[in-house]
Amino acid sequence: MEKVDVLVAGAGPAGSEFAFRMARLGYKVLVLERDSLDREKPCGGGIQTQEILEFGPLPEDVVERHIENARIIAPDGGLLEVPRYLEACGATVKRSVYDRWLSRRAQEAGASYLAHARVVAADLDAQGATVHAQTPAGTLTARGRLLAVATGGTARELMASLGFTFFKTGSYAVTSQYWIELGRDVIDERIGNAIEIYNGASIVPKGYAWIFPKRDVVTVGIGCDASVLEKESITLRRRLDHFLAHHPIASRKLEGGRVVRRDGGPIPFFVASRLTGPSTILLGDAGGFGNAIHGGGIYQARKSAAIAERYGRDFLENGSPAALEACAQASREHFNSHEGRWDVKMRPFFWEDDLVNMTVRRGAQGDQEIVQAMGIILNSDRSHEAAYRLLEPRVLDLVHDCLRERSKRQRAMVEEALAGLYSADTTLDRAIRHILFGDAKRVRASLALMAVEAAGGSAEAALPMAVAFELLHTASLVHDDIMDDARSRRGRACVHRIFGIDLAITAGDALIFEAYRQALSLSSVFGSEPVERVLQIFSACGVRTCHGQAEDLRFPLERATIRRYLKMIHRKTGSMIAAPLESGAVLAGAHPTWQEAFQRFGRNLGVAFQIVDDAIDYLGSEDKARKSLGSDLRRGAGSAMLIYC
Ligand SMILES: Cc1cc2nc3c(=O)[nH]c(=O)nc-3n(C[C@H](O)[C@H](O)[C@H](O)COP(=O)(O)OP(=O)(O)OC[C@H]3O[C@@H](n4cnc5c(N)ncnc54)[C@H](O)[C@@H]3O)c2cc1C
C-alpha cells in the first residue's frame, strides 16, 4: 500500500492547487483522478479577474481569449456594455488545457498523479485516511495522513460513503451547455473578446444564459437554481435549444455554428454544512464554494485550496483535528461572513424580466452606478458588497417603477373584464355600473394579479379570480355605505342615494353571486383542486369581513382600545386584502409556506391600509378621498386616530 502525507481526490482546480501548495512545502502528495488529466470538464471556462490578480497571470498558451468587456442582454433586447473595471482582465480557457497546466505545475512541485483512478471509498480515522480507488489495473489502496476531497459537484456516492451530505435543492445551480464551432473570424466579428450574459426569467427562471468565446468555438449555456426544475415541466436542454433557435440576438450570433459537444452539470454555491471529517477536508465544489450570482467556481476552488494550505500544514505537523476545524472555520469565514453572501442577496435583482429590462436600459443610458456595479460583479477584486450597495437603491427605485407599470397593465385587464359584465339596460345593471365604474383603485384585484405573477403564475389565466375579489369588495362597499348612510363613493353619489336602499342591497347581493360565478369559472383552466381552495379562501374572507363589520357596528369610542380596534380591522380589512394575495399564490402553484407568507403580508398590509383610511376619515378632504368622510365621528365609532386623540 502506497503511503503519502497528502492524498487528493480529484485533479480539478481545487485538487491541483492544493497538491501544488502541499508539494511545494515538501510533503509527499498523491492525486487520484477518475478521468484523464486532460479531460474536458463541463465549464464555460471563464476565468475571473480576481483569480489573475491573486494567483498571477495564466500562461499565454492556456488562454483562449483575454476578455476585455462584458455584455448584459435584457429580455427585451436591451444591451448594456460593461467596460473593463480594472486594468487587469479575465480570460477564457478550455478546461482540458487549463486543468492540465495546473496539474503539471503541481507535478513540477513534486506531486504524483494517477489518472483513471476513481476513489470509491475511504476509511477515515484520526491518524489518516485509507483510500480505495478503482483503476484499469484493479483496486488501488493508498494511505495519506491527510485526505483532501476535491471531487467537484458530481461525486454524490463517494461523498455519501464518506459521511458528507450532498447538496440540497436551493444550494446549487444546474446547467446545460453546448460547444459551438463558429470559426475565429466569425467569433471576432460577432462576439469579440467579450462574455455575454442573457438575464431574465423568460430566458430561464432564477438563472441566465451565457455565451463565452474561445478561439474558434463558443460555449453557450443556460443555468438556473435547481429548485426551478422541480416546478418546470420543460428540461434545461430544451430551454437551451429554444434560446439558440429563437433568441433574436443570440440566434443570429450563433447562426451557421456546429454543435461539437454537449455537456453541463451542477454548480454548488452554498458552503456545505460540514467541511471536515477525520483527517479529511473538502475543497472547491465539493465544499460548495461557488459564487451564487454568476456561478463561477474556478477561482473559488483555487481560493479554498489556498486557504487550506496553512491549516493542512498545521494538521500534518501536530496531528490535531483542531487544525482542520480551523480550516473549515476560515473557509466559512471567507466564503460566507467576509463575503456576507452579497452574491446571494443580489440574485433576485436579475430574475425579473421587467426589472432587468429597466436596469439594463438605465445602465445603457449612462447610469454610472449600474455600470460600475456590473463591472464589480464581472471584473474586479472588490467585494460584491460594493456592487450591492450601488445596485440596491437603484433596484428599489426600479421595482417601484416596475410595480407601477405592472399595476397599470393589470388594472387595464381588470377594467376590460369588468366592462363585459354589466352591459344590460336594466335598473340593476345601471346601479351596478354606477358603483363599479366610479373612481375605483382596483387595489385588491391588482394585488391578486401581482401575487400570481410574483409566484410564477399567469395573470391572464387568473384574471377571473381578481375580478371576483373586486366584485366582492365592491359589494361590501355598497352595503357599508347603506349602513353609514354615506353620501359619496368613488367620486359619485352612493348607489342607495340614487337607486334607493332596496335596489342597492340587491345590487350588492348580485355582485356577490357574480363574484362566485367568476371564481368557479377558474376551474376550466386550473382544474378543481386549486379552485376549491380559492373558493374556501374566498368564502372565509367574506365571513370574516362580515364579523369585522359587525364588530365595527358595535364599536363605540368610549369602549374602544387599540387592541380591540386592531383585532377588528384585522378581520374587516385585513381579510379582504390577504385573501386575494393568498389566492394568487395558490393559483400560481406556490409552496404552502409562500401561500402563508402572502396571506400574512396581505393581512398586515390591510391593517396598515385601514389605519390610514380611518385617519383620512377624520383628517382628509372629500375631494381627494373621492368619498364622503367623517362617518366614524358621526356614529361615534373608535379608530386608531380617535382612540389616541
Ligand atoms: C456548465 C458549467 C459552466 C461553468 N462555467 C464556469 C465559468 O465560466 N467560470 C468559473 O469560474 N466556473 C464555472 N463553472 C464552475 C466550475 O466549473 C467549478 O466550480 C470548478 O470546476 C470547481 O473546481 P473543483 O476542482 O472543485 O471541481 P472540478 O473541476 O469538478 O474537479 C473535480 C475533479 O474530480 C474528479 N473526480 C470526481 N469524482 C472523483 C472520484 N470519485 N475519484 C477521483 N476523482 C474524481 C473529476 O473527474 C474532476 O476532474 C461552471 C460549471 C458548469 C457545470
Side-chain angles (χ1 to χ4, degrees), residues 159 163-168 171 269-277 282 285-289 325 328-329 332 336:
M159 299 284 282
F164 293 101
T165 45
F166 209 66
F167 305 102
K168 295 194 195 83
S171 67
F269 54 68
F270 271 117
V271 178
S273 53
R274 200 157 67 81
L275 289 170
T276 62
L282 302 187
D285 274 6
F289 295 122
E325 269 320 307
Q329 177 69 22
R332 239 178 253 295
N336 277 344

Side-chain angles (χ1 to χ4, degrees), residues 8-16 32-36 39 41-48 51 95 99 117-120 150-155 158 175-177 210 212 221-222 263-268 283-287 290 294-302 304:
V8 179
S16 285
L32 301 172
E33 164 58 46
R34 74 172 169 198
D35 219 318
S36 69
R39 52 93 186 101
K41 151 87 173 73
C43 187
I47 298 297
Q48 299 152 56
E51 173 171 340
R95 288 290 300 273
D99 285 25
R118 175 194 289 270
V119 177
V120 286
T151 44
T154 55
L158 174 66
T175 61
S176 182
Q177 181 178 258
W210 65 85
F212 284 6
I222 197 159
D263 59 24
I267 307 181
L283 300 177
D285 274 6
H294 51 57
I298 302 173
Y299 158 70
Q300 288 74 4
R302 290 182 69 184
S304 71

